[in-house]
């Protein structure tokens, strides 16, 4: 199935450019003076809520919930101001609103009722001014355990549209969940490039698969999903990822990812992988990884042939960076919930990615040189 990702507000859909707009903002040939081949905007963990600043459960950070809405508006202004080239697309790597909006914990307990629709509408209203298409990763703070079920999320963030350029992948969800679940997607923003956007919570159909994992690896989390220290009693650091705010890709999505990577390698494309959850601990923490991070990383390293340039993720608000042994850059984006003007864009050059933070902000800029490509296998061998 092919689909164009759309973001919807309660009143009206956010305007998204068609595939022709993508083509007009990207070029497969580098130009003089270091002009990028193309560029795209990035942001993660907006996590907006109309509530006062507060610390996280561990007391290690202060979160400025209301301030993220204004940061979102400034991010759109930044992306819209990009020229020569303009932004080909915008990548929002999850947690667009905070879980407290649902009214079940924290400041949400003081609300007259759930604020999920109102909060999402405000952020969508800010994003609707963006001139470039916006692609949304699924995050824990706006997935079915907090604000919406899969069908509700799909209606607001993703829906099929004929004649577009995005390919949807599979899901491990069964029955009605399979029809409603947000699928992973891939597309080519420019000749020679493939972007793959994963659903890091695909292994949570109706919470059943996740509950089985948690019961097996972390029984205390199976007893309750809020108001407890999920990490209490865990001695093996490899098991710290099995908590309710993390998730997994699942077997069907891993199989789809393998085929997408193989197809991109056959085209000799460079590849960027996008996910709310990180998959490489040195770029994040043992507590914030995909359940099946080891399998996903091994797949990219084995099948990518040096063509997987970067994995961009969110989730860990302080951010992080590390390159793995195969040369893949793993970048965890800082959150505007915790950092001033924490958004930016990526310039794609013939030999590197330039991650560029907004002027005056606290978003860390980085230069990411491409890993060396391995020799391609004949198509008949794939």
């Amino acid at each position: 199935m092919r689909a164009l990702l759309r973001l919807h507000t309660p009143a009206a859909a956010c305007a998204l450019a068609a595939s022709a707009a993508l083509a007009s903002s990207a070029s497969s040939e580098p130009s003089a003076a270091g002009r990028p081949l193309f560029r795209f905007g990035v942001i993660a963990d907006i996590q907006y809520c109309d509530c006062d600043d507060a610390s996280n459960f561990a007391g290690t950070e202060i979160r400025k919930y209301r301030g993220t809405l204004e940061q979102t508006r400034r991010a759109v202004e930044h992306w819209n101001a990009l020229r020569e080239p303009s932004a080909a697309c915008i990548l929002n790597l999850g947690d667009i609103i905070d879980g407290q909006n649902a009214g079940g914990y924290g400041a949400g307990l003081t609300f007259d009722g759930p604020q999920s629709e109102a909060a999402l509408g405000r952020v969508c209203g800010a994003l609707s001014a963006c001139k470039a298409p916006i692609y949304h990763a699924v995050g824990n703070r706006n997935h079915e355990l907090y604000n919406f079920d899969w069908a509700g999320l799909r209606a607001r963030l993703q829906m099929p549209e004929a004649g577009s350029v995005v390919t949807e992948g599979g899901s491990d969800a069964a029955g009605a969940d399979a029809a409603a679940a947000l699928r992973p997607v891939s597309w080519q923003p420019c000749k020679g490039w493939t972007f793959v956007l994963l659903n890091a919570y695909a292994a949570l159909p109706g919470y059943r698969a996740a509950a089985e994992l948690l019961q097996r690896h972390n029984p205390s989390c199976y007893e309750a999903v809020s108001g407890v220290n999920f990490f209490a009693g865990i001695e093996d650091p490899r098991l710290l990822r099995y908590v309710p705010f993390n998730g997994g890709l699942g077997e069907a999505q891993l199989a789809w990812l393998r085929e997408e990577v193989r197809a991109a390698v056959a085209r000799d494309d460079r590849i960027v992988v996008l996910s709310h959850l990180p998959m490489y601990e040195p770029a994040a923490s043992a507590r914030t990884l995909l359940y099946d991070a080891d399998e996903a990383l091994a797949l990219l390293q084995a099948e990518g042939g040096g063509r997987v340039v970067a994995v961009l993720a969110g989730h860990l608000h302080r951010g992080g960076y590390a390159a793995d042994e195969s040369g893949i850059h793993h970048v965890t984006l800082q959150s505007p919930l915790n950092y001033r003007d924490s958004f930016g864009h990526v310039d794609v050059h013939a030999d590197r990615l330039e991650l560029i933070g907004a002027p005056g902000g606290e978003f860390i800029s980085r230069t990411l040189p491409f890993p060396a490509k391995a020799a391609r296998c004949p198509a008949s061998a794939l």
Side-chain angles (χ1 to χ4, degrees):
M1 178 184 289
R2 294 187 177 272
L4 178 65
L5 303 193
R6 271 187 162 175
L7 188 150
H8 291 258
T9 69
C14 296
L16 293 182
S19 57
L22 285 173
S24 67
S25 61
S27 170
S28 60
E29 297 296 332
S31 59
R35 183 180 187 271
L37 301 174
F38 68 102
R39 57 167 49 120
F40 56 94
V42 290
I43 194 169
D45 298 276
I46 297 171
Q47 218 164 307
Y48 169 72
C49 184
D50 185 13
C51 64
D52 294 339
D53 298 353
S55 67
N56 61 341
F57 179 81
T60 57
E61 62 183 47
I62 297 297
R63 299 176 171 182
K64 300 180 179 181
Y65 295 100
R66 289 194 180 98
T68 61
L69 184 59
E70 183 56 36
Q71 282 208 49
T72 303
R73 295 187 181 109
R74 291 198 294 272
V76 171
E77 292 174 358
H78 173 78
W79 298 325
N80 285 348
L82 296 173
R83 296 288 186 273
E84 296 184 357
S86 58
C89 60
I90 308 301
L91 307 177
N92 164 39
L93 298 184
D95 281 7
I96 194 170
I97 61 175
D98 191 78
Q100 293 174 93
N101 286 293
Y105 71 95
L109 295 173
T110 67
F111 297 161
D112 292 335
Q115 301 296 310
S116 302
E117 291 285 2
L120 185 63
R122 292 187 186 109
V123 181
C124 289
L127 291 173
S128 68
C130 191
K131 297 176 182 178
I134 304 175
Y135 296 83
H136 301 274
V138 179
N140 56 293
R141 298 289 173 177
N142 59 357
H143 82 342
E144 84 278 15
L145 297 182
Y146 291 82
N147 287 284
F148 302 105
D149 60 16
W150 282 123
L153 270 181
R154 187 174 178 87
R156 291 162 178 84
L157 298 181
Q158 252 183 338
M159 66 177 294
E161 183 165 302
S164 58
V165 294
V166 178
T167 303
E168 286 190 332
S171 169
D172 281 327
D177 285 327
L182 273 72
R183 306 299 182 95
V185 295
S186 70
W187 73 100
Q188 293 177 273
C190 180
K191 182 180 179 182
W193 284 87
T194 293
F195 281 14
V196 181
L197 176 60
L198 301 174
N199 179 352
Y201 294 87
L204 295 178
Y207 196 60
R208 186 173 303 164
E212 292 175 357
L213 280 172
L214 296 176
Q215 187 177 33
R216 183 165 67 250
H217 295 295
N218 189 355
S220 65
C221 280
Y222 187 71
E223 300 296 327
V225 295
S226 64
V228 299
N229 181 357
F230 297 137
F231 305 104
I234 300 180
E235 298 180 357
D236 186 344
R238 294 172 298 180
L239 301 182
L240 290 172
R241 69 188 68 177
Y242 294 105
V243 293
F245 53 72
N246 296 331
L249 302 179
E251 293 182 4
Q253 189 172 185
L254 284 169
W256 173 84
L257 176 61
R258 179 177 291 105
E259 294 307 311
E260 291 300 307
V261 170
R262 287 178 175 178
V265 169
R267 294 190 298 267
D268 201 27
D269 280 4
R270 296 283 187 182
I271 304 166
V272 175
V273 177
L274 313 157
S275 170
H276 179 64
L277 293 177
M279 63 178 67
Y280 189 52
E281 183 179 340
S285 78
R287 298 183 176 197
T288 56
L289 298 177
L290 281 164
Y291 293 161
D292 41 12
D294 300 337
E295 293 86 345
L297 183 59
L299 185 160
L300 296 180
Q301 292 173 338
E303 302 284 357
R307 291 164 179 81
V308 181
V309 175
V311 177
L312 306 183
H315 196 47
L316 182 65
H317 294 173
R318 69 171 182 261
Y321 167 79
D324 66 31
E325 58 269 25
S326 68
I328 299 173
H329 300 282
H330 296 261
V331 182
T332 305
L333 304 182
Q334 296 157 284
S335 169
L337 193 65
N338 307 82
Y339 297 91
R340 183 181 69 255
D341 285 349
S342 191
F343 50 84
H345 66 278
V346 177
D347 282 354
V348 181
H349 294 271
D351 60 348
R352 70 195 187 280
L353 302 181
E354 292 284 352
L355 177 60
I356 302 170
E362 296 181 308
F363 194 82
I364 297 175
S365 299
R366 305 180 188 276
T367 297
L368 310 175
F370 296 165
K373 288 182 179 180
R376 282 189 291 169
C377 295
S380 59
L382 295 179

